[in-house]
Amino acid sequence: MAHRDDRAVTVTGIAGVLEAAVYAGDLDAAEDFYGTILGLERIVRAGNRHVFFRAGPTVVLVFNPDETARPAANPALPVPAHGATGPGHICFSVPDGVRLDALAARLERQGVAIEADFRWPNGARSVYVRDPAGNSVEFAEPRLWDPS
Amino acid sequence: MAHRDDRAVTVTGIAGVLEAAVYAGDLDAAEDFYGTILGLERIVRAGNRHVFFRAGPTVVLVFNPDETARPAANPALPVPAHGATGPGHICFSVPDGVRLDALAARLERQGVAIEADFRWPNGARSVYVRDPAGNSVEFAEPRLWDPS
């Protein structure tokens, strides 16, 4: 697993982002978008509270903020409460332009509008759509963040 | 870069999460937390709009939602508007228990209270704190998400 590669671990012990979260009131719609349309493997769905997906070495957490804002029900797993509202943001790595073209075409075939599609000053391309909850979902060539 | 490892790319072209976002009204406090306390390399700070950090192969975006909710100012970079309020969530990968112990000790030395520290049913450990904006920040052993 990439995040176990010790070469990238900071002096404080952090190897990278393991989980990114977005919030959605309608988890069925979120599951259709992240699972069916984006093709991410669903790890677990917990009723109306959350649905989680695997994305390479990372995990996407889709939470219903009405549920996660409540204190944890299981004292053995005292997960702190959280829950944001309004449009959040997440960006997925798409390794090259050919794959990004194919993904953009797939999104349009599935009825997902492309909100923006441009190149950053370093040449890396980003494509933006909205998930059903209105979160800004970006797909970018990872060289966007290469050290200059 | 890990996310360029083709073995992990989905059929839809996604290699993993590239950027995870949290929101904070006070970017100076966010910079102190993510940069100084967590030791993440700062990539860029843009006034009162955002500050970005590198975390291994991934990037942490801290946005001021008052600024990012406005339409993009530069027509060449039409970044869609977004901006969430309320406590969000992000989780960092800390590869092993020794590093997690050291990081928890560092956080406490820096005056950051540990809100929760427990093991999941599969044995992986998570430690939770709050960033200055109240976001729930987790540090977890990545085996938390190993396929069972």
Side-chain angles (χ1 to χ4, degrees):
Chain A
M1 295 285 285
H3 285 169
R4 295 180 182 179
D5 181 344
D6 278 5
R7 289 172 299 185
V9 177
T10 65
V11 292
T12 58
I14 293 171
V17 170
L18 182 62
E19 306 164 6
V22 293
Y23 295 87
D26 183 342
L27 293 186
D28 291 338
E31 193 167 333
D32 183 57
F33 179 80
Y34 290 97
T36 305
I37 297 179
L38 298 192
L40 301 180
E41 176 201 346
R42 190 184 78 166
I43 299 172
V44 63
R45 164 88 181 250
N48 196 37
R49 183 184 185 277
H50 65 242
V51 57
F52 297 165
F53 301 91
R54 194 178 302 282
T58 52
V59 173
V60 178
L61 311 175
V62 185
F63 291 113
N64 177 353
D66 294 336
E67 299 292 329
T68 55
R70 299 178 187 168
N74 181 352
L77 299 174
V79 178
H82 60 93
T85 55
H89 175 65
I90 187 171
C91 176
F92 293 99
S93 176
V94 178
D96 58 69
V98 173
R99 285 197 173 92
L100 200 47
D101 281 338
L103 179 56
R106 175 183 173 86
L107 289 163
E108 293 201 295
R109 277 198 311 275
Q110 299 275 350
V112 179
I114 305 296
E115 186 175 5
D117 182 349
F118 61 87
R119 288 187 187 279
W120 295 93
N122 78 352
R125 179 178 164 206
S126 284
V127 172
Y128 291 81
V129 301
R130 296 280 170 180
D131 76 6
N135 295 298
S136 176
V137 179
E138 178 183 358
F139 306 94
E141 295 177 276
R143 66 190 174 98
L144 172 57
W145 296 114
D146 280 357
S148 55
Chain B
M1 297 285 285
H3 285 169
R4 295 179 183 179
D5 181 344
D6 279 4
R7 289 172 298 184
V9 177
T10 65
V11 293
T12 57
I14 294 171
V17 171
L18 182 62
E19 306 164 5
V22 293
Y23 296 88
D26 183 341
L27 293 187
D28 291 337
E31 193 167 331
D32 183 57
F33 179 80
Y34 290 96
T36 305
I37 297 178
L38 298 192
L40 302 180
E41 176 202 347
R42 190 185 78 167
I43 300 172
V44 64
R45 165 87 182 250
N48 197 36
R49 184 184 186 277
H50 66 241
V51 57
F52 298 166
F53 301 91
R54 194 178 301 283
T58 51
V59 172
V60 179
L61 311 175
V62 184
F63 291 112
N64 178 352
D66 294 336
E67 299 292 329
T68 56
R70 299 178 187 168
N74 180 352
L77 300 174
V79 178
H82 60 92
T85 56
H89 175 66
I90 187 171
C91 175
F92 293 99
S93 175
V94 178
D96 59 69
V98 173
R99 284 196 174 92
L100 200 48
D101 281 338
L103 178 56
R106 175 182 173 85
L107 289 163
E108 293 202 293
R109 277 198 311 275
Q110 299 276 349
V112 179
I114 305 295
E115 185 175 7
D117 182 348
F118 61 86
R119 288 187 187 278
W120 296 94
N122 78 351
R125 179 179 164 206
S126 285
V127 172
Y128 292 80
V129 301
R130 296 280 171 180
D131 77 6
N135 296 296
S136 175
V137 179
E138 178 184 358
F139 307 93
E141 295 177 275
R143 66 190 173 98
L144 172 57
W145 297 112
D146 280 355
S148 55

